[in-house]
Amino acid sequence: MGSNFIDDESFEEKRIELEKKKQKKLEKQLRLKQKEEIIQELQKIREDKNINNHSFDICLKNSNKFPKGTLKWAFEFLSSNEKSEFEEVRKVYLERARLWHPDKNNVTNQEAMQYLNEAWQIVKKSK
């Protein structure tokens, strides 16, 4: 018999070793897939939370304390105060525009963007 001869016992050990490696690899792939699914779920929850925290109805309700078209109304609609830095208010405006834009979000109607743009124009003119 030559040096390439493998007896049944060695062969079975190698086969079992390869099966274990294969099983570990499959388990690792499954864990990675589960992690990816969890990350996707968390991202969706985060996006939904952002949309809910900045919902048009909440902004409109809060701003209705003041006459529409006034500076106080605009700041309240943007959930800011008059002492806020211009850049902070701008960031809020841009974030809501991204969330509420009809081309990006089928849930939001055009009225939300009209109010948002009107509030932003009032704030821009005041600064």
Side-chain angles (χ1 to χ4, degrees):
M1 306 257 171
S3 63
N4 292 336
F5 176 72
I6 298 177
D7 62 5
D8 289 340
E9 189 174 308
S10 314
F11 178 78
E12 187 62 24
E13 286 175 9
K14 292 284 186 186
R15 188 189 65 76
I16 291 171
E17 185 180 319
L18 287 173
E19 282 295 321
K20 285 180 183 179
K21 285 182 181 180
K22 188 176 180 181
Q23 185 63 31
K24 283 183 181 182
K25 185 176 179 180
L26 289 173
E27 288 171 358
K28 184 178 180 180
Q29 288 174 342
L30 180 62
R31 284 193 309 271
L32 288 173
K33 185 176 180 182
Q34 289 171 339
K35 283 181 182 180
E36 287 174 3
E37 289 172 355
I38 290 170
I39 289 170
Q40 288 173 350
E41 286 178 33
L42 289 173
Q43 287 174 337
K44 185 174 181 341
I45 290 169
R46 190 173 124 212
E47 288 172 6
D48 290 345
K49 185 178 179 183
N50 283 340
I51 289 171
N52 290 336
N53 283 345
H54 301 288
S55 78
F56 172 63
D57 294 332
I58 291 171
C59 293
L60 192 58
K61 181 182 172 191
N62 291 339
S63 66
N64 280 338
K65 300 174 197 170
F66 304 101
K68 185 177 183 238
T70 63
L71 188 58
K72 287 188 178 202
W73 172 86
F75 275 111
E76 192 66 33
F77 187 83
L78 293 168
S79 301
S80 299
N81 62 42
E82 294 179 50
K83 295 178 183 174
S84 296
E85 292 291 325
F86 183 75
E87 277 304 309
E88 291 175 26
V89 179
R90 182 177 175 273
K91 285 180 185 178
V92 171
Y93 166 74
L94 292 174
E95 180 181 351
R96 290 194 181 149
R98 182 180 53 81
L99 291 171
W100 294 356
H101 197 281
D103 291 344
K104 303 281 183 183
N105 185 357
N106 293 333
V107 177
T108 306
N109 59 21
Q110 288 184 329
E111 183 182 19
M113 280 303 296
Q114 289 171 346
Y115 274 84
L116 182 63
N117 287 330
E118 183 178 345
W120 175 242
Q121 292 303 319
I122 293 168
V123 170
K124 265 184 18 181
K125 287 178 185 175
S126 74
K127 294 291 179 179

